[in-house]
Amino acid sequence: MSSHAVQIVSIGSEEDDYSFNLDEDALNSIISKCPPKMKVATISCVGAFRTGKSAFLSWTLRFLRETSISSSSSVRSSNNGDGEWWKRGGKLSEGEKFDWRGGSERHTQGIWMWSEHFIRRGANGEKVCVILVDTQGLFDNETTMSLTASIFGLSTLLSSVSIYNVSKLIGEDSLQHLALFSEFAKAALNSDNSEKQITRPFQRITFLVRDWQNFTIEEPSSDEDFNSMEEEMDDYIKGVIAARDAKDLKDTREQIAACFDKIDAYLLTHPGLAVAKKTFDGDPDKVDSTFFNLLDRFLKRTFNQELEPKRIHNKHLTASELFEYVKAFAEVFSSGGSNFPEATTLLAATSAANNNNAKRISTEKYKGEMDKLAGPSATVYAQPADLEEHHVACEDASLQLFDSMATFGSSTLISSARDEVKGTIRESLQVYKSLNDSRNPLAGFETYVLPVIVAVGSYILRTVVDLSCTSWSQTCKASSDVLGQVTSVILLFLLIVGISKAKLISARVNQFKSALQVMAPPALETKKTS
């Protein structure tokens, strides 16, 4: 099946109070394909409707296919390196683009994630699993402001880079909307663990300004020209976010600066009149070359030099960890898009997701270490003292790992989660003890040892009776007969058991040999000592 966009969040209508619904199965179908221990980077695109977000992401998909190490698609990335990647493959086909259409009506609804992931090298050289996210256009005259905030909030919460798509310039309205929506993230600042507060809950916001008309160089022809254009971009964003004297303008910029580690901008020229038409079919030959050259430089910056995995509480996340956070965040918004979520609720969701990940990873560490000594695949019996010592060491390491991860949110909730980890460890210990006992070479020998002792004892008593009593004594004769019958019955019992359970007897014999080997080393050590 070809790659395609998958809706992970759907929104309702006025009839159902603008419900906000996460499709966990759809989300998991994509995230679970990432290599289990590889960090994940999620790049989302948000912005006003009908501003070309889906088209931008579609060209981004082609860039990723042509330049990534590999992808989850049935057709692997060509990895052809630099060059005019936008021309390779001709027109964008249905299986390689986010669906878009021209016109004035909104098209994308909810939040969509591309089903294919891409493996790339991050800024530090580490392999990263990259996922693209498209969102419903904001301010479409049909969606409430609260639901718009929910869409923006969730997409930003799950993203390592949020690309804020704006038309022609960064207006004050765009900044104010960004400040309003990023208020969701400020809940992370309300942790009662003040010594470990996260000052900026989001990583990066990039203003992608479309149809920019104010470059000094109108027809760039060299790298120097494009470098000069990028210097103009840097100057532009510095001027936009520079401090202001007016209180409302100052507050807006301070709010944004308090929520994002990095704020930058990239300016793209108009792609050409053909692209604006409803009939545009994704033919790269109809797109202005300057637009593609600038797009190429922007994508290389975003997905090469500055690519960083998703980070929450100063920890880079794997796909499974990100999944827990997305579920927790979506739960906050799913109570109804018409209700703006309270910061304390979002804080609790963030803390719960972080605690769940800490619980899962720390208990997995305990079980992984215990499996080596007493797990299902272990074959050697461990002495109880050795098992207990190993358990204590594994429990300490597991709890230390939990403490290093569970650093956000209510200390009461963290303590409760830690107790759950200890409870799981206690339950697991009983399982390991049972598994270990089943490998005890001395286990079960009482079934055979006791009858043998009785039989040997009866035989010895009968011999003593026969030697010590006269032949005419009826009491002695009766006692001898009884003891002889007891010996015979027990031997017959053992014979029957031996015939019916020959394999088990053989196993018990081997266990007995193992038991002798277990007991032999102490004896040898005693002799050496003496």
Side-chain angles (χ1 to χ4, degrees):
M1 184 176 181
S2 63
S3 301
H4 57 286
V6 176
Q7 189 175 32
I8 62 170
V9 171
S10 60
I11 59 173
S13 60
E14 185 177 0
E15 286 72 22
D16 55 8
D17 198 25
Y18 299 103
S19 60
F20 190 93
N21 304 304
L22 173 69
D23 189 334
E24 292 186 16
D25 292 335
L27 176 64
N28 189 54
S29 70
I30 300 170
I31 286 185
S32 62
K33 294 177 184 177
C34 289
K37 296 184 179 181
M38 187 178 292
K39 305 299 189 301
V40 61
T42 307
I43 315 299
S44 68
C45 188
V46 298
F49 79 116
R50 314 311 307 154
T51 55
K53 298 188 310 302
S54 298
F56 159 74
L57 286 173
S58 296
W59 291 119
T60 302
L61 282 172
R62 174 164 290 186
F63 169 83
L64 292 173
R65 283 203 185 91
E66 294 295 334
T67 63
S68 297
I69 298 172
S70 66
S71 76
S72 58
S73 173
S74 57
V75 179
R76 294 177 62 84
S77 301
S78 58
N79 197 21
N80 287 326
D82 294 333
E84 295 183 337
W85 50 265
W86 54 89
K87 290 187 177 180
R88 292 196 289 270
K91 298 179 181 179
L92 290 172
S93 63
E94 290 300 319
E96 62 168 340
K97 69 178 183 178
F98 282 90
D99 192 24
W100 84 69
R101 70 182 180 202
S104 60
E105 300 297 323
R106 75 175 183 182
H107 188 50
T108 303
Q109 297 186 44
I111 299 178
W112 296 69
M113 186 175 282
W114 193 252
S115 64
E116 178 184 11
H117 69 257
F118 303 90
I119 307 301
R120 301 186 66 84
R121 294 284 181 187
N124 63 355
E126 182 183 17
K127 288 184 178 180
V128 179
C129 181
V130 175
I131 297 174
L132 289 187
V133 176
D134 190 15
T135 64
Q136 172 180 326
L138 311 178
F139 323 120
D140 59 7
N141 301 321
E142 298 181 41
T143 308
T144 67
M145 183 60 74
S146 294
L147 187 55
T148 296
S150 297
I151 294 170
F152 187 101
L154 181 60
S155 66
T156 307
L157 282 164
L158 64 87
S159 300
S160 46
V161 178
S162 294
I163 298 174
Y164 193 177
N165 196 73
V166 298
S167 179
K168 293 184 172 58
L169 53 80
I170 305 174
E172 194 63 29
D173 58 340
S174 297
L175 294 177
Q176 290 179 3
H177 286 135
L178 177 60
L180 170 65
F181 301 150
S182 61
E183 183 67 26
F184 283 73
K186 289 196 67 177
L189 302 176
N190 295 331
S191 168
D192 60 2
N193 286 342
S194 58
E195 73 280 6
K196 297 179 179 178
Q197 278 189 355
I198 307 302
T199 56
R200 294 185 177 91
F202 292 161
Q203 287 168 261
R204 179 180 170 188
I205 184 75
T206 296
F207 289 94
L208 186 64
V209 182
R210 310 295 293 274
D211 306 340
W212 182 257
Q213 302 173 357
N214 304 312
F215 283 121
T216 303
I217 302 173
E218 295 182 357
E219 296 183 4
S221 59
S222 65
D223 285 342
E224 289 74 14
D225 290 342
F226 285 106
N227 290 338
S228 178
M229 295 168 76
E230 290 183 340
E231 289 177 2
E232 291 184 37
M233 299 178 196
D234 293 338
D235 291 339
Y236 175 68
I237 188 62
K238 288 178 182 177
V240 169
I241 63 175
R244 300 291 194 273
D245 292 330
K247 186 178 186 305
D248 57 340
L249 302 181
K250 180 181 178 182
D251 289 347
T252 296
R253 285 155 179 77
E254 289 180 350
Q255 165 65 21
I256 295 172
C259 287
F260 293 92
D261 283 338
K262 183 173 183 179
I263 304 168
D264 60 1
Y266 207 90
L267 316 178
L268 294 178
T269 57
H270 195 286
L273 295 178
V275 178
K277 296 179 180 179
K278 285 187 176 182
T279 56
F280 179 65
D281 56 2
D283 185 351
D285 290 334
K286 297 179 181 179
V287 181
D288 181 77
S289 61
T290 299
F291 170 85
F292 269 138
N293 279 299
L294 286 170
L295 179 62
D296 175 58
R297 295 171 73 95
F298 171 68
L299 294 178
K300 287 176 180 175
R301 172 191 291 188
T302 303
F303 292 100
N304 292 352
Q305 298 99 311
E306 300 178 1
L307 180 63
E308 182 187 11
K310 175 60 182 175
R311 184 180 72 243
I312 294 182
H313 314 323
N314 288 328
K315 181 182 184 300
H316 287 146
L317 304 183
T318 62
S320 60
E321 292 169 336
L322 177 63
F323 181 69
E324 289 293 333
Y325 280 108
V326 176
K327 285 198 304 180
F329 293 143
E331 181 64 26
V332 175
F333 303 119
S334 66
S335 60
S338 61
N339 300 316
F340 195 95
E342 295 180 0
T344 53
T345 306
L346 183 57
L347 173 62
T350 305
S351 175
N354 191 55
N355 289 342
N356 286 338
N357 278 325
K359 286 191 296 183
R360 176 177 58 82
I361 294 174
S362 58
T363 53
E364 285 177 356
K365 178 177 179 62
Y366 172 82
K367 292 178 180 179
E369 293 300 319
M370 287 294 291
D371 280 347
K372 296 176 183 178
L373 181 68
S377 60
T379 58
V380 179
Y381 172 70
Q383 295 293 341
D386 293 338
L387 180 62
E388 182 66 25
E389 182 180 355
H390 188 66
H391 152 72
V392 171
C394 292
E395 181 180 38
D396 289 344
S398 175
L399 292 176
Q400 286 177 13
L401 178 59
F402 175 87
D403 292 339
S404 69
M405 296 180 64
T407 58
F408 180 78
S410 166
S411 57
T412 302
L413 293 177
I414 293 176
S415 177
S416 176
R418 195 177 195 275
D419 289 340
E420 291 181 31
V421 173
K422 295 171 71 174
T424 300
I425 288 176
R426 284 194 297 269
E427 294 174 1
S428 299
L429 177 61
Q430 298 308 312
V431 173
Y432 287 117
K433 285 183 175 180
S434 298
L435 289 172
N436 189 57
D437 289 343
S438 68
R439 290 186 286 269
N440 187 350
L442 298 177
F445 274 105
E446 64 276 5
T447 304
Y448 307 99
V449 172
L450 182 61
V452 170
I453 292 175
V454 174
V456 172
S458 299
Y459 177 78
I460 293 173
L461 287 175
R462 183 185 181 189
T463 301
V464 171
V465 169
D466 289 343
L467 293 175
S468 60
C469 294
T470 59
S471 59
W472 50 265
S473 174
Q474 294 299 318
T475 300
C476 289
K477 183 178 180 181
S479 298
S480 178
D481 291 343
V482 169
L483 292 171
Q485 291 172 0
V486 169
T487 302
S488 300
V489 168
I490 292 175
L491 291 176
L492 180 61
F493 165 76
L494 292 174
L495 179 63
I496 294 173
V497 171
I499 294 173
S500 62
K501 297 185 178 181
K503 290 184 179 180
L504 181 61
I505 294 296
S506 176
R508 292 303 184 188
V509 171
N510 290 332
Q511 282 187 323
F512 183 71
K513 292 179 180 179
S514 299
L516 292 178
Q517 293 175 356
V518 170
M519 294 182 292
L524 291 175
E525 291 296 327
T526 302
K527 291 181 180 180
K528 290 179 181 180
T529 303
S530 61

